[in-house]
Amino acid sequence: MVNSLLAPYEPELGSPLCVRFLDSVSERRSREPGEYYKTPEDLAAWMKSQHLLETGIAVYEGYRLRAIELRDALYQLGSAIAAGKQPDEFSLETFNGELCEALAKLEFTDGQIKLTERDPLERALQLIALSAANLFTSDLRHRLCECQSETCGWLFIDQSKNRTRRWCDMADCGNRAKAKRFKERHKKVVN
């Protein structure tokens, strides 16, 4: 993690923590979205991979449900920001509740802002909420985009010079779109 809790973007990690967290549903807009956090163990494994939890700390079902509620609220907020729309009240309330918990645990010491929460599970969600608050209020909010795939829905930070990126990942959604367009053009030529 970067030195400051208030850094909105961690380029070495590819995207902000909150975006990595909310992009945990595959094919979000499809009939059968794929949930990454099917069990508390799945969520714990992701949090450990992001250095939010240490080995040996268990996640329980109620916490998993709370994390999913936060994740879905962050997705709704991010999607609304990317589309230039107003977010819904429930998502705002959910996010603001978690953010208030995090802000109450911030402290300025030794020239840095530190999160003083000692409970590792609470601390993990607070770090995610702070990451989202930083992103949604930074200049990067204008670069927040939603994948234009019909089924994907992942959010990403468009770092392209002219802000024309359309896909969460060119190797995945971008290639599928190109293949679909090729197939449609080929079909028209054959008929």
Side-chain angles (χ1 to χ4, degrees):
M1 180 177 282
V2 213
N3 288 339
S4 173
L5 285 173
L6 301 181
Y9 185 55
E10 301 150 26
E12 69 277 3
L13 297 175
S15 61
L17 173 63
C18 62
V19 173
R20 296 191 309 271
F21 178 65
L22 65 84
D23 282 345
S24 59
V25 176
S26 63
E27 304 296 312
R28 186 181 283 275
R29 293 193 217 120
S30 71
R31 289 185 189 139
E32 296 181 28
E35 173 61 65
Y36 286 17
Y37 310 140
K38 292 178 183 172
T39 66
E41 293 76 21
D42 294 337
L43 177 59
W46 181 84
M47 287 184 159
K48 289 170 187 170
S49 77
Q50 301 300 304
H51 308 287
L52 294 173
L53 290 180
E54 294 179 16
T55 305
I57 296 174
V59 169
Y60 55 93
E61 181 61 13
Y63 181 83
R64 182 187 77 88
L65 295 174
R66 179 176 154 208
I68 287 173
E69 184 176 59
L70 174 61
R71 181 214 42 212
D72 292 347
L74 293 178
Y75 170 74
Q76 293 301 327
L77 293 171
S79 181
I81 289 169
K85 297 180 179 175
Q86 284 292 92
D88 67 90
E89 285 300 315
F90 180 76
S91 297
L92 279 171
E93 286 177 23
T94 300
F95 172 56
N96 282 329
E98 294 290 346
L99 182 58
C100 283
E101 293 290 322
L103 292 173
K105 297 291 185 165
L106 287 181
E107 190 175 279
F108 180 77
T109 58
D110 300 325
Q112 292 186 351
I113 294 176
K114 295 182 181 180
L115 189 58
T116 62
E117 178 62 60
R118 297 201 186 283
D119 181 323
L121 295 176
E122 291 300 315
R123 182 179 177 80
L125 289 184
Q126 290 170 4
L127 286 168
I128 291 167
L130 289 169
S131 171
N134 293 328
L135 174 62
F136 296 161
T137 59
S138 76
D139 289 340
L140 287 177
R141 73 177 278 149
H142 303 294
R143 291 187 172 269
L144 188 62
C145 298
E146 191 165 358
C147 183
Q148 292 184 14
S149 162
E150 292 174 7
T151 57
C152 179
W154 274 18
L155 296 176
F156 60 91
I157 305 295
D158 182 358
Q159 294 287 36
S160 67
K161 189 175 185 177
N162 55 1
R163 298 184 188 184
T164 57
R165 185 171 156 196
R166 298 177 61 201
W167 318 109
C168 62
D169 186 352
M170 192 59 206
D172 191 11
C173 290
N175 277 344
R176 276 190 265 161
K178 284 171 68 176
K180 182 179 178 183
R181 284 194 310 272
F182 176 79
K183 207 182 253 188
E184 288 170 357
R185 280 195 309 271
H186 184 66
K187 196 179 208 181
K188 287 178 185 177
V189 171
V190 171
N191 291 333

